[in-house]
Amino acid sequence: DLRALHLNDQPLSGSVNLITQGRYNQLSGNIDANLELNNLAWNINDQQISLNKAIAHLASSDSLTHATISTDDLLAQIDAHCSIDSLVHKIGITTSTITQQLDNRDIDIVALRKALPSINLSIELGQNNVISRYLANVAGFTYHNANIKLSTDTAISLLTDVNTLKIGKTRLDNVAF
């Protein structure tokens, strides 16, 4: 809930066509699921987000979770060393920890590290996807392509690489950290 996270105060609305297929083994807890979104139209704070098609896949066992999302020229992948139930639980704890730390204006890396699930996240973005359109409309910046990698296996590691970042009349050939 975006309101509970203090990320949005206004109601949201939208529509989408869904196609789903999956298997769930009740004894082992294993999940293998596919989701296809078509004709998404979503309104957030007077901004409309739209996309023609997105495909997601989720595979989870008692010790591993793998998920991918692809749409236009966006590909996101996450691998976690836990079940989907544990991952969702840890994401909730992480969200609460981050919210509390931001509210207190005191970032505690040790507490954050304890809250984070053990994951490897990779996001590859081109210039024609829902995120790039949203950033261009809301924040007024564009880019040619961007790569983001987050790993929390042993330490928190965040690597980003953004090519041809344009903000107003300012252009940066490459931004990496």
Side-chain angles (χ1 to χ4, degrees):
D1 183 346
L2 295 177
R3 284 184 178 184
L5 295 173
H6 306 292
L7 297 175
N8 194 346
D9 293 331
Q10 298 181 9
L12 308 175
S13 64
S15 64
V16 65
N17 294 324
L18 296 171
I19 300 171
T20 62
Q21 175 221 348
R23 289 183 295 281
Y24 172 68
N25 183 314
Q26 198 170 16
L27 295 176
S28 66
N30 292 352
I31 299 171
D32 185 16
N34 295 299
L35 171 70
E36 184 176 317
L37 303 172
N38 291 298
N39 304 316
L40 173 77
W42 199 257
N43 296 306
I44 300 174
N45 298 335
D46 300 327
Q47 295 288 326
Q48 183 167 13
I49 296 174
S50 62
L51 81 112
N52 293 327
K53 184 176 186 175
I55 298 172
H57 177 255
L58 170 68
S60 181
S61 68
D62 64 346
S63 59
L64 293 172
T65 298
H66 173 76
T68 60
I69 299 172
S70 63
T71 178
D72 299 323
D73 59 2
L74 177 153
L75 175 62
Q77 298 181 71
I78 186 169
D79 291 296
H81 302 288
C82 60
S83 69
I84 188 68
D85 292 339
S86 296
L87 179 61
V88 169
H89 177 73
K90 288 289 265 182
I91 289 172
I93 292 170
T94 301
T95 302
S96 295
T97 300
I98 291 171
T99 301
Q100 181 181 21
Q101 290 184 8
L102 291 175
D103 287 347
N104 295 337
R105 296 181 184 201
D106 181 26
I107 304 301
D108 180 349
I109 296 297
V110 174
L112 183 58
R113 176 66 189 109
K114 286 180 184 177
L116 283 167
S118 178
I119 62 168
N120 290 306
L121 171 69
S122 172
I123 303 172
E124 300 172 15
L125 300 156
Q127 52 191 331
N128 181 31
N129 59 70
V130 65
I131 293 175
S132 63
R133 289 188 294 272
Y134 182 77
L135 292 173
N137 290 336
V138 173
F141 71 83
T142 62
Y143 58 86
H144 184 264
N145 64 358
N147 294 295
I148 303 164
K149 294 187 185 305
L150 171 68
S151 177
T152 62
D153 280 343
T154 55
I156 301 171
S157 172
L158 175 64
L159 302 172
T160 64
D161 185 23
V162 181
N163 293 301
T164 316
L165 176 63
K166 294 180 186 176
I167 305 168
K169 293 183 181 183
T170 303
R171 175 189 161 163
L172 303 171
D173 290 335
N174 182 269
V175 177
F177 61 90

